[in-house]
Amino acid sequence: MYAAVLRAPGPVENQPLDYIDVPEPVPGPGEVAITVLACGVCRSNLHMVEGDWLPATPAALPIIPGHEVVGRVKAVGPGVENLTVGDRIGVQPIWSTCGVCGHCVSGHEQRCRRRQITGETRDGGYAEVMLANAAFACKIPDSLADTEAAPLFCPGITAYGAVKKALPRPGQNVAVFGIGGVGHLALQMAGLTGAHVNAVSRSLKARTLAEQLGARGAYVPAGIDGGLALRDGSQDAAIVFAPSDHAVAEALRVIKPGGRVVLGVAQSVGVMDIGDEKTVVGTVLGTRQDMADVLNIAVDGKLHAVHEDFPLSEANHVLQRLKTGQLHGRAVLVPGA
Ligand SMILES: [Zn+2]
Ligand SMILES: [Zn+2]
């Protein structure tokens, strides 16, 4: 099978992924092999490929990146009872968890310290075939196209987890900072709660998209030309996917006393005024139940993932375009396209 394999991290301009013929993986106990139909390209893939992601990531080299995958089951390993050949499934970044730790048994399996990560500790979806853990695979409703469904498995579940932590109530004001691959989904999900959603972005194109997707208003960060900024203390909650420390300060400024800021990207928070009793909370991915919820929202046509599709063989080129801001929506790799 063909795969885009990372042998040694480096700048994407130097084409660190080799598009080569490698042996097809054989599913072990509890695993299935899937023919990959679509795999989204995440900014964290870019970081790992360039060698500036989390410590000890990837866990080993060579590795095949890619953790937002849709595929069709082509072979079933021993002991798998929930999937059969021909099922169309999705694979999210959490490839598996231990299942027995305090996080796993209390409904927060995404926090498991012994989790395996698709495309980082296990080979991922930049390939014609990959292995999935049957217990973490999610069947995909027929009405969702492959390339529409793939981004739901990282941006979709990430956006869902962030909106849940913002605790929006009908009629409240929720600001979403950063209208990219995740933010454009978060604003749609926040709107489904009955909250009024206000998008904040430096980019006119992103602000226009936000309004098309149902944002009540579109703003710029304070001090940036080209539009209005949100008023101090005007929002009940703020969700931040903009990769800028300035965005955190802005989010803290625009929420009311007692309000919440949800951080979906790692940032420095700075000094907080305790007198306003504001909350800053991090969010990462979600549980298998969250993933099922996301698919149920999408199948009702209430969630539109903006994506651009490319052949798998162009993975290096796509990562370069991501790095230089030349993508419109999520890039999705399609093997055999
Ligand atoms: Zn991702
Ligand atoms: Zn665990």
Side-chain angles (χ1 to χ4, degrees), residues 38-58:
C39 180
V41 175
C42 187
R43 188 163 288 274
S44 68
N45 299 159
L46 173 63
H47 285 298
M48 183 185 80
V49 166
E50 296 207 306
D52 64 355
W53 192 224
L54 305 169
T57 304

Side-chain angles (χ1 to χ4, degrees), residues 108-287:
H108 303 101
E109 63 191 8
Q110 73 273 25
R111 300 176 192 161
C112 177
R113 294 298 94 188
R114 286 192 279 161
R115 64 193 179 189
Q116 297 282 326
I117 301 293
T118 314
E120 294 183 4
T121 69
R122 301 284 309 226
D123 280 335
Y126 286 21
E128 291 179 320
V129 177
M130 73 170 272
L131 297 180
N133 177 353
F136 274 73
C138 205
K139 284 187 199 175
I140 298 176
D142 290 342
S143 63
L144 288 177
D146 302 330
T147 52
E148 177 89 2
L152 301 177
F153 283 84
C154 176
I157 192 169
T158 300
Y160 186 77
V163 171
K164 257 178 47 171
K165 290 184 184 72
L167 308 176
R169 299 173 65 86
Q172 287 191 332
N173 287 307
V174 176
V176 177
F177 287 75
I179 309 302
V182 188
H184 87 286
L185 295 174
L187 86 84
Q188 295 174 70
M189 290 179 187
L192 291 172
T193 67
H196 304 310
V197 183
N198 296 304
V200 183
S201 173
R202 292 162 186 254
S203 152
L204 175 60
K205 194 184 274 179
R207 295 197 300 275
T208 305
L209 173 66
E211 287 180 323
Q212 287 166 355
L213 294 173
R216 172 177 266 208
Y219 298 83
V220 296
I224 300 294
D225 291 337
L228 289 174
L230 285 167
R231 281 183 294 109
D232 286 9
S234 59
Q235 307 295 302
D236 295 280
I239 298 168
V240 180
F241 284 110
S244 144
D245 288 343
H246 182 63
V248 180
E250 266 293 277
L252 282 166
R253 179 184 69 78
V254 303
I255 60 169
K256 298 171 181 174
R260 296 172 75 78
V261 173
V262 181
L263 292 185
V265 283
Q267 287 169 2
S268 63
V269 175
V271 177
M272 280 181 67
D273 179 355
I274 59 169
D276 285 342
E277 296 194 330
K278 293 174 179 174
T279 301
V280 177
V281 60
T283 186
V284 66
L285 300 168
T287 64

Side-chain angles (χ1 to χ4, degrees), residues 92 109 157 160 164 286-294 296:
Q92 50 140 322
E109 63 191 8
I157 192 169
Y160 186 77
K164 257 178 47 171
T287 64
R288 282 169 276 183
Q289 182 59 54
D290 292 333
M291 195 60 244
D293 292 347
V294 171
N296 283 334

Side-chain angles (χ1 to χ4, degrees), residues 97-104 109 112-115:
T97 62
C98 80
V100 296
C101 73
H103 303 299
C104 284
E109 63 191 8
C112 177
R113 294 298 94 188
R114 286 192 279 161
R115 64 193 179 189

